[in-house]
């Protein structure tokens, strides 16, 4: 037996106000079940993941009125959680522990009348302890930590801001073709270069959006999925990598990520190599994470991610369609559910104007923490081993 | 001073570090059992797992690993806070620290640095690094 994704549920995404993460999560699960042609009562597993705002947790089962579940848990490895949830759901289905598992992420960091940049930033007059000292000195948001990583990659390999910009521009080209994307106005490399500095070498257009909303998928056995309402998206392989870069001499921080571990595990399980991958959905909290993930997966040699991106390979018409919905840079920021949801859409052939020319093998990556956690999924519209 | 810092207070587990900072010494964690140097904020020794490692004074010498100039968010009136040059620094003893650089015009990987302490009128001293 194999496992497959049978349902996808997406709430409105972006500046969606007035609904708590718990409400949003419940809505996404209902939508995913309806998409699959299932009743909520058909679910016997629920896995929950939330953003930095906290909530929902396993009380979501009560919100949804779910009864007699065989699997109920909350998972957290930041941006790598979506892939981890789906792989855990798949393993539960394969083992017989559960038959039909909903995996959901929800977050609502945006408040009306508040800049999106402030949602994840700390500001204070007084600071406490070591964490307070680094924040006081200026390390007050994730932007600064990723800028340190990107700068190290630049210094070591000659990666340039223009190469990062090529990723931003190509991703926006995809977003222009996605009605669900938050940012659809075309941008040029000059726009990228002229956008304000956030933390050098990262411009504003190197950074992801902030979004409210929720996304859920339903994982079940491949045979069962085939009898449901929508075409199954088969789970061929999965893997995780948590490098836990030690903050000491010899650390590969900024140079390599957990994709170098999770990618080969997932691809071996799936029986594919990078040459077989038709579409990539890479976790793009920053343009830099796309670039370094491409290297770590082996789509190009270490240090050549910049040149690979600048060649136009990732953009519409390129050899490796990547982040075809606009990713987190231009589409919507639902942590690991952003790449996963777009992979499901592409695997089903539902991409419309943005449908990639081939979709037999899709790679989905999740990245969490400050490059601390990584997950990889290999998906296909075809049954595994067929 | 670029980018408003605010007032820094000690909490329950930082006294040895801030006592050292007040005296111009860089106190970091050191596990005697493993003879392993750790960052001052290390929660435990990855060699043996003990949480209450000892403290020892580092030399204050280090090299630049990587850096970023952080720009504050523009305020509603359009004013932009002054930028700050932040960095990961590798101490001569091996641990890495997140810190701010002062007096560095042309950052580069491996730039030799030395720890300095800023003593504000209120609150604890800040650890910065300047060119050696
Ligand atoms: Zn030890």
């Amino acid at each position: 037996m194999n496992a497959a994704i049978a349902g996808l549920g997406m709430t409105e995404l972006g500046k969606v106000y007035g609904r708590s993460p718990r409400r949003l999560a419940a809505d996404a699960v209902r939508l995913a079940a309806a998409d699959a042609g299932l009743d909520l009562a058909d679910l016997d597993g629920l896995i929950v993941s939330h953003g930095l705002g906290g909530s929902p947790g396993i009380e979501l089962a009560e919100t949804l009125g779910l009864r007699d579940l065989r699997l109920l848990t909350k998972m957290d490895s930041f941006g790598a959680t979506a892939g981890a949830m789906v792989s855990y759901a798949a393993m539960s289905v394969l083992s017989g522990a559960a038959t039909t598992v909903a995996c959901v992420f929800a977050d609502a960091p945006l408040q009306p009348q508040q800049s999106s940049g402030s949602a994840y930033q700390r500001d204070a007059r007084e600071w406490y302890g070591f964490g307070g000292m680094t924040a006081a000195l200026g390390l007050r948001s994730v932007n600064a930590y990723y800028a340190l990583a990107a700068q190290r990659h630049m210094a070591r390999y000659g990666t340039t801001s223009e190469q990062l910009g090529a990723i931003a521009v190509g991703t926006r080209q995809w977003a222009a073709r996605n009605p669900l994307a938050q940012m659809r106005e075309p941008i040029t490399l000059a726009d990228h270069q002229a956008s304000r500095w956030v933390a050098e070498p990262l411009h504003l257009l190197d950074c992801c959006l902030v979004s409210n909303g929720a996304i859920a998928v339903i994982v079940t056995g491949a045979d069962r999925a085939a009898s449901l309402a929508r075409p199954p998206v088969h789970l061929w392989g999965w893997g995780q990598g948590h490098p836990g870069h030690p903050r000491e001499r010899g650390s590969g921080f900024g140079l390599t990520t957990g994709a170098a571990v999770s990618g080969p595990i997932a691809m071996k399980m799936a029986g594919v190599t990078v040459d077989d991958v038709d579409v990539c959905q890479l976790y793009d909290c920053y343009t830099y994470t796309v670039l370094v993930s491409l290297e770590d997966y082996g789509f190009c040699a270490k240090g050549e991610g910049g040149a690979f991106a600048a060649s136009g390979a990732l953009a519409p018409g390129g050899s490796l369609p990547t982040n075809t919905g606009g990713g987190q840079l231009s589409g919507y920021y639902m942590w690991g559910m952003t790449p996963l949801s777009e992979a499901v859409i592409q695997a089903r052939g539902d991409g419309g104007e943005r449908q990639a020319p081939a979709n037999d093998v899709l790679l989905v990556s999740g990245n969490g923490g400050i490059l601390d956690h990584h997950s990889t999924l290999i998906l296909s519209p075809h049954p595994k081993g067929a | 001073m670029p980018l408003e810092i605010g007032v820094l207070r000690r909490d329950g587990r930082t006294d040895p570090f801030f006592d050292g900072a007040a005296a111009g010494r860089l106190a970091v964690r050191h596990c005697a059992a493993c003879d392993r140097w750790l960052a001052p904020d290390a929660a435990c020794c990855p060699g043996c797992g003990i949480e209450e490692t000892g403290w020892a004074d580092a030399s204050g010498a280090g090299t630049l690993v990587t850096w970023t100039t952080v720009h504050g968010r523009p305020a509603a009136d359009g004013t932009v806070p002054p930028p700050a040059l932040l960095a990961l620094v590798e101490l001569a003893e091996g641990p890495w620290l997140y810190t701010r650089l002062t007096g560095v015009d042309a950052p580069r990987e491996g730039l030799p640095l030395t720890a300095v302490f800023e003593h504000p009128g209120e609150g604890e001293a800040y650890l910065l690094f300047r060119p050696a």
Side-chain angles (χ1 to χ4, degrees):
Chain A
M1 175 154 94
N2 290 302
I5 294 172
L8 171 65
M10 303 167 68
T11 67
E12 297 80 7
L13 301 163
K15 291 177 177 167
V16 181
Y17 301 122
R19 272 189 281 175
S20 67
R22 182 162 151 173
R23 272 279 313 282
L24 289 162
D27 289 349
V29 172
R30 285 191 194 96
L31 289 165
D35 181 60
L38 293 167
D39 295 326
L40 283 183
D42 294 322
L43 300 177
D44 59 10
L46 177 65
I47 309 178
V48 183
S49 159
H50 60 66
L52 293 184
S55 165
I58 58 173
E59 77 281 358
L60 183 64
E62 189 183 340
T63 307
L64 286 163
L66 300 178
R67 297 286 179 274
D68 301 320
L69 294 179
R70 301 174 181 191
L71 170 66
L72 174 62
T73 192
K74 181 173 83 172
M75 291 180 64
D76 188 4
S77 44
F78 300 114
T81 314
M85 283 196 294
V86 167
S87 59
Y88 188 49
M91 289 187 279
S92 300
V93 166
L94 296 181
S95 70
T99 69
T100 315
V101 181
C103 306
V104 62
F105 170 86
D107 201 8
L110 282 177
Q111 301 293 325
Q113 276 132 40
Q114 179 189 310
S115 81
S116 55
S118 62
Y120 287 106
Q121 176 138 352
R122 300 164 63 199
D123 278 308
R125 161 87 182 127
E126 289 196 72
W127 307 90
Y128 291 87
F130 294 126
M133 186 168 72
T134 50
L137 291 173
L139 287 147
R140 294 178 196 177
S141 80
V142 176
N143 296 330
Y145 293 91
Y146 273 95
L148 290 169
Q151 176 58 49
R152 191 169 194 225
H153 197 279
M154 285 184 165
R156 184 67 59 92
Y157 300 118
T159 305
T160 67
S161 175
E162 288 80 2
Q163 290 168 339
L164 296 178
I167 293 171
V169 170
T171 306
R172 185 64 63 89
Q173 288 171 355
W174 285 117
R177 302 164 182 219
N178 179 7
L180 296 176
Q182 285 176 233
M183 305 292 279
R184 302 181 66 195
E185 284 294 304
I187 56 170
T188 65
L189 194 53
D191 293 331
H192 170 271
Q193 292 291 296
S195 67
R196 73 174 170 86
W197 287 119
V198 171
E200 296 179 42
L202 302 176
H203 288 275
L204 185 64
L205 288 177
D206 288 305
C207 305
C208 65
L209 305 163
V210 181
S211 312
N212 292 355
I215 297 181
V217 294
I218 292 172
V219 175
T220 188
D223 293 350
R224 177 144 189 266
S227 70
L228 296 177
R230 300 301 314 280
V233 179
H234 296 271
L235 287 158
W236 281 14
W238 52 81
Q240 294 184 35
H242 305 267
H245 293 300
R247 277 203 289 130
E248 62 188 28
R249 186 169 295 142
S251 169
F253 172 76
L255 306 177
T256 62
T257 73
V261 171
S262 65
I265 293 170
M267 284 187 266
K268 184 177 181 204
M269 191 187 300
V272 301
T273 71
V274 286
D275 294 334
D276 299 311
V277 173
D278 297 310
V279 183
C280 268
Q281 308 296 345
L282 302 179
Y283 196 97
D284 55 345
C285 47
Y286 301 90
T287 50
Y288 153 78
T289 57
V290 174
L291 189 151
V292 74
S293 299
L294 288 165
E295 294 176 353
D296 288 337
Y297 281 123
F299 289 103
C300 59
K302 181 48 72 180
E304 291 177 9
F308 185 65
S311 75
L314 316 180
S319 59
L320 185 66
T322 295
N323 295 350
T324 50
Q328 298 173 317
L329 295 170
S330 291
Y332 46 84
Y333 182 58
M334 283 287 109
W335 291 28
M337 281 297 189
T338 299
L340 177 62
S341 58
E342 180 64 14
V344 170
I345 290 166
Q346 289 284 332
R348 288 172 166 183
D350 286 346
E353 230 190 310
R354 69 183 193 278
Q355 181 66 39
N359 69 347
D360 292 327
V361 179
L362 305 98
L363 183 148
V364 180
S365 87
N367 160 59
I370 314 297
L371 303 167
D372 297 306
H373 311 291
H374 216 97
S375 64
T376 306
L377 297 174
I378 305 291
L379 308 181
S380 174
H382 313 296
K384 186 178 178 182
Chain B
M1 171 66 67
L3 189 73
E4 181 77 24
I5 280 189
V7 177
L8 183 59
R9 309 279 187 199
R10 60 179 71 194
D11 59 13
R13 52 187 302 272
T14 54
D15 289 4
F17 177 81
F18 287 118
D19 287 344
R25 294 181 289 105
L26 175 54
V28 301
R29 296 267 186 181
H30 180 261
C31 179
C34 303
D35 190 22
R36 190 174 186 132
W37 295 84
L38 304 165
D41 63 337
C44 69
C45 170
C48 62
I50 70 162
E51 294 180 13
E52 290 311 309
T53 61
W55 291 83
D57 286 344
S59 63
T63 54
L64 184 55
V65 176
T66 184
W67 62 94
T68 175
T69 300
V70 168
H71 297 256
R73 272 178 296 124
D77 64 4
T79 56
V80 183
L85 183 54
L86 307 175
L88 261 174
V89 169
E90 180 171 301
L91 300 182
E93 293 81 3
W96 288 13
L97 301 180
Y98 290 111
T99 185
R100 188 194 286 220
L101 303 182
T102 184
V104 173
D105 297 324
R108 62 174 171 83
E109 198 174 353
L111 180 72
L113 298 164
T114 190
V116 288
F117 293 91
E118 187 94 359
H119 302 275
E122 187 188 359
E124 303 296 340
Y126 292 96
L127 168 65
L128 309 175
F129 279 79
R130 65 165 171 76

